[in-house]
């Protein structure tokens, strides 16, 4: 994806001033923008226009961003979702990542930072998903880089964009101990400013999807005091 192709961003924020300020900055940077102030309105806009990115406030008048995120993820695991969270609400950040958000930004924030985050995540997603090899595989786990799909045996495993990139990184570095910081640089980018717990949350979600027993993982091993290692070919 390239912003010159006029990527579409849906802003879901009930504060009119914040929403319009974000919209103006995104429009000025070449994005197509839709706006919603309520959860139900956001779902209607999503179904009608299928945006590339959703900027989603957690606190909405008629619902909360977590529920909206769940409903959208059920329909489209591939759309990029960035949560807007209140300062210091670590639990909100973790909950958002748990249910499928790709990133979060803390209020109050500079709209230019949000624009930069969106551009960076789109750029990294496109670059990382461009196939150099068509298939990455280890045992029954197969990642198809052309279709952006993951399979375990013949079953499709639905992944969010960040989960896909994390899985791609593991398969490209089998039997290699990768630190949390290394994973953040490889998946989120060296310019990403975030909590290393973000990696832990995404690894936990991956384990729930690919392991027979997520509490006793076979594929994604914990390297204590460092990070994680993906076991090659079982």
């Amino acid at each position: 994806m390239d912003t010159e192709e006029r990527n579409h961003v849906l802003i879901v924020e009930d504060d009119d001033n914040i929403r319009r300020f974000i919209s103006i900055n995104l429009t000025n940077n070449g994005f197509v923008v839709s706006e919603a102030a309520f959860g139900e309105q956001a779902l209607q806009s999503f179904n009608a226009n299928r945006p590339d990115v959703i900027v989603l406030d957690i606190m909405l008048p008629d619902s909360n961003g977590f529920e909206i995120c769940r409903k959208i993820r059920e329909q489209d695991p591939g759309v990029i979702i960035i949560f807007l969270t209140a300062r210091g609400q670590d639990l909100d950040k973790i909950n958002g990542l748990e249910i499928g958000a790709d990133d979060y930004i803390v209020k109050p924030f500079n709209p230019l930072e949000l624009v930069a985050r969106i551009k960076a995540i789109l750029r990294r997603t496109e670059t990382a998903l461009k196939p150099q090899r068509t298939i990455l595989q280890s045992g029954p786990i197969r990642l198809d880089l052309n279709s952006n799909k993951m399979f375990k045996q013949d079953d499709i495993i639905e992944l969010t964009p960040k989960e896909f990139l994390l899985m791609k990184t593991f398969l490209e570095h089998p039997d290699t101990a990768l630190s949390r910081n290394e994973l953040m640089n490889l998946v989120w980018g060296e310019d990403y400013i975030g909590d290393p717990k973000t990696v832990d949350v995404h690894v936990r979600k991956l384990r729930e999807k690919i392991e027979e027993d997520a509490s006793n993982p076979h594929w994604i091993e914990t390297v204590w005091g460092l990070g994680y290692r993906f076991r090659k070919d079982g």
Side-chain angles (χ1 to χ4, degrees):
M1 282 180 284
D2 187 291
T3 52
E4 291 182 2
E5 297 176 3
R6 305 274 292 168
N7 289 107
H8 179 193
V9 181
L10 171 60
I11 305 167
V12 186
E13 164 64 64
D14 64 308
D15 187 304
D16 292 344
N17 292 328
I18 294 176
R19 189 177 67 252
R20 289 169 185 165
F21 197 32
I22 295 172
S23 178
I24 289 169
N25 278 274
L26 288 173
T27 301
N28 289 343
N29 279 272
F31 291 93
V32 174
V33 177
S34 298
E35 299 181 25
F38 300 91
E40 189 60 35
Q41 184 184 8
L43 292 173
Q44 292 172 0
S45 180
F46 169 78
N47 289 322
N49 300 303
R50 293 288 169 157
D52 303 295
V53 181
I54 301 174
V55 178
L56 180 57
D57 189 23
I58 290 177
M59 301 301 293
L60 297 169
D62 61 337
S63 58
N64 65 67
F66 298 140
E67 184 60 28
I68 299 302
C69 182
R70 287 191 191 93
K71 290 180 178 178
I72 288 173
R73 277 283 175 248
E74 289 173 0
Q75 300 180 60
D76 186 351
V79 65
I80 294 167
I81 299 177
I82 300 175
F83 267 126
L84 301 180
T85 69
R87 183 174 297 279
Q89 298 298 313
D90 289 339
L91 185 59
D92 281 351
K93 299 173 189 175
I94 293 171
N95 286 342
L97 295 169
E98 284 277 9
I99 63 173
D102 297 289
D103 200 355
Y104 59 83
I105 191 165
V106 177
K107 294 181 179 179
F109 59 90
N110 185 330
L112 294 179
E113 179 189 351
L114 177 59
V115 171
R117 284 277 188 100
I118 292 172
K119 285 184 175 181
I121 204 170
L122 287 168
R123 184 169 59 250
R124 286 196 298 270
T125 299
E126 179 189 11
T127 300
L129 297 184
K130 281 182 178 176
Q132 296 162 359
R133 295 162 54 192
T134 303
I135 300 291
L136 295 175
Q137 185 161 1
S138 184
I141 296 173
R142 184 171 81 257
L143 213 62
D144 187 326
L145 301 182
N146 281 333
S147 65
N148 294 343
K149 291 181 179 178
M150 177 177 156
F151 301 85
K152 186 176 181 184
Q153 302 291 8
D154 294 324
D155 297 326
I156 295 179
I157 308 296
E158 297 286 1
L159 301 180
T160 69
K162 274 292 179 289
E163 289 168 355
F164 190 95
L165 296 183
L166 182 58
M167 197 68 219
K168 178 176 181 286
T169 300
F170 279 136
L171 286 168
E172 288 176 337
H173 301 82
D175 291 332
T176 302
L178 297 169
S179 71
R180 288 172 177 82
N181 285 335
E182 286 174 317
L183 287 168
M184 289 193 77
N185 288 339
L186 289 168
V187 177
W188 281 264
E190 294 183 2
D191 57 342
Y192 178 74
I193 302 172
D195 193 321
K197 286 186 291 187
T198 299
V199 175
D200 297 334
V201 172
H202 281 80
V203 166
R204 185 159 63 248
K205 295 300 289 183
L206 270 182
R207 282 173 169 168
E208 291 172 358
K209 294 180 178 182
I210 69 171
E211 301 283 0
E212 294 297 326
D213 179 2
S215 62
N216 185 28
H218 171 81
W219 293 102
I220 304 176
E221 301 174 318
T222 298
V223 181
W224 297 108
L226 181 69
Y228 299 96
R229 176 175 51 236
F230 185 82
R231 183 182 295 184
K232 182 178 179 181
D233 296 331

